[in-house]
Amino acid sequence: IFRALAYIHGTLGVCHRDIKPQNVLEESDSSGMHKNFIDFGGGMRFCVGTDFTKMEMVVFLHYLVINYR
């Protein structure tokens, strides 16, 4: 992880300012385990529950507005 940070900071000139375990994506294939940084504005695209959560919020807000007294 530190080598990847050094690479993107030193070579690419990108400073990743939100380093946390949730931003490390682990993938495994036949050649081994790969770790990738996400959250360069793309974290929501990797979340499988995003569409469900949006629908849940729409339904909640609908009932809140309709039944608020």
Side-chain angles (χ1 to χ4, degrees):
I1 292 174
F2 292 119
R3 280 190 276 172
L5 287 172
Y7 174 76
I8 64 171
H9 182 71
T11 306
L12 302 177
V14 174
C15 182
H16 196 294
R17 297 168 55 176
D18 191 21
I19 300 168
K20 57 187 174 188
Q22 293 86 357
N23 292 342
V24 178
L25 180 65
E26 295 182 1
E27 298 176 321
S28 63
D29 59 9
S30 60
S31 64
M33 180 70 76
H34 302 282
K35 294 184 184 342
N36 298 311
F37 282 114
I38 60 171
D39 200 29
F40 288 98
M44 290 298 284
R45 289 188 293 259
F46 290 104
C47 181
V48 294
T50 302
D51 292 332
F52 176 74
T53 304
K54 288 178 186 176
M55 182 57 75
E56 183 101 11
M57 288 303 297
V58 167
V59 171
F60 169 76
L61 290 173
H62 172 76
Y63 280 106
L64 179 69
V65 169
I66 297 298
N67 296 320
Y68 183 76
R69 296 175 199 260

